[in-house]
Amino acid sequence: MKESPQEIAYEANVRLHQTGLVVLTWGNVSVLDRESGLMFIKPSGIPVKALTPNKMAIVSLKDGTPLPGSLRPSSDTKTHLALYRAFPELAGIVHTHSTYATAWAQSGRDLPCFGTTHADHFNGTIPCARALTPDETADDYEANTGTVILEAFQSHNLDPIAVPGVLCRHHGPFTWGQTAKEAVDNAIALETIAKLAFLTLSLNPATPQIPAHILEKHHTRKHGPNAYYGQA
């Protein structure tokens, strides 16, 4: 029997918490059902232990309006909505404050690709979006967080499927995927490669990025029409 979007969103939020990438209530997963035009997201401030599928907040993709009787959605809801509207391939989005990825975000640095662990999930550098201005912060902060993420992808001419994540300066990471599982997997991968990059630069601050031909080989063998990693 097919799982409902509420069940998928609930299970993804539980799994994200189990990874250790989220402490307290510092993270959320959303699921978008494009057929109904509804987004299902963790309710604001509710601990994972208190969640059930029926407690997932439900929001209209079109105008951001919560369904009647729904719990108040995550404070990051407008950021999720902005990404879903701009990137039609997406069906799951994750936000965390995981340690190493957030450290890169706080430093204001893009996350370079130094090796194949990174290349297997992200086709190149993961951008760090610019800081919001005082006006952007005061006027619709969460929606403008989405705006600067989209701005970073447009200015770098990035494919959101090939680079399924971003760092928000002074804030933390967002990742996404074509399913909620992919989005959580990418959050795990992002934290791992952020830690590896930190350790790499600690050992050798002059480490060059991975050669382009190795990056392309590792990414395309797992992704795209000619991928051959895994089972048919």
Side-chain angles (χ1 to χ4, degrees):
M1 186 169 157
K2 185 178 178 181
E3 287 187 302
S4 68
Q6 292 100 319
E7 290 170 327
I8 295 170
Y10 165 74
E11 290 168 3
N13 276 280
V14 170
R15 179 179 173 227
L16 181 65
H17 198 273
Q18 290 171 338
T19 66
L21 299 184
V22 173
V23 298
L24 303 177
T25 58
W26 301 350
N28 48 71
V29 184
S30 70
V31 170
L32 179 63
D33 179 17
R34 290 197 179 270
E35 186 175 345
S36 66
L38 297 175
M39 181 181 77
F40 302 80
I41 191 168
K42 182 181 176 293
S44 181
I46 303 294
V48 167
K49 289 183 178 180
L51 282 182
T52 64
N54 290 336
K55 288 183 179 178
M56 299 307 298
I58 307 174
V59 178
S60 165
L61 174 64
K62 183 177 180 180
D63 59 14
T65 304
L67 260 61
S70 175
L71 291 172
R72 181 183 296 172
S74 164
S75 57
D76 298 302
T77 289
K78 289 185 178 181
T79 307
H80 288 242
L81 290 172
L83 297 176
Y84 284 129
R85 290 166 183 160
F87 300 147
E89 308 96 329
L90 306 190
I93 295 174
V94 170
H95 172 53
T96 75
H97 292 259
S98 61
T99 303
Y100 284 88
T102 300
W104 279 87
Q106 290 181 168
S107 75
R109 293 185 61 179
D110 295 344
L111 179 54
C113 183
F114 292 119
T116 61
T117 310
H118 182 137
D120 282 343
H121 277 266
F122 299 87
N123 192 10
T125 297
I126 298 169
C128 185
R130 67 170 175 82
L132 273 67
T133 67
D135 285 346
E136 288 170 333
T137 303
D139 181 20
D140 220 348
Y141 169 72
E142 290 81 12
N144 285 323
T145 298
T147 296
V148 299
I149 293 172
L150 300 177
E151 181 184 287
F153 270 70
Q154 291 161 0
S155 64
H156 290 78
N157 194 29
L158 295 176
D159 176 357
I161 297 302
V163 183
V166 69
L167 305 172
C168 290
R169 190 163 189 178
H170 309 304
H171 191 175
F174 284 82
T175 59
W176 47 78
Q178 294 175 296
T179 64
K181 180 184 182 302
E182 278 188 12
V184 175
D185 285 347
N186 287 329
I188 296 168
L190 176 54
E191 178 64 6
T192 300
I193 62 176
K195 182 177 182 178
L196 286 171
F198 174 84
L199 294 172
T200 298
L201 292 177
S202 298
L203 290 166
N204 180 6
T207 301
Q209 292 198 48
I210 190 172
H213 61 284
I214 300 177
L215 165 63
E216 191 64 18
K217 179 64 176 180
H218 265 264
H219 194 76
T220 57
R221 75 176 187 165
K222 291 189 77 170
H223 306 277
N226 298 317
Y228 59 87
Y229 176 88
Q231 303 302 309

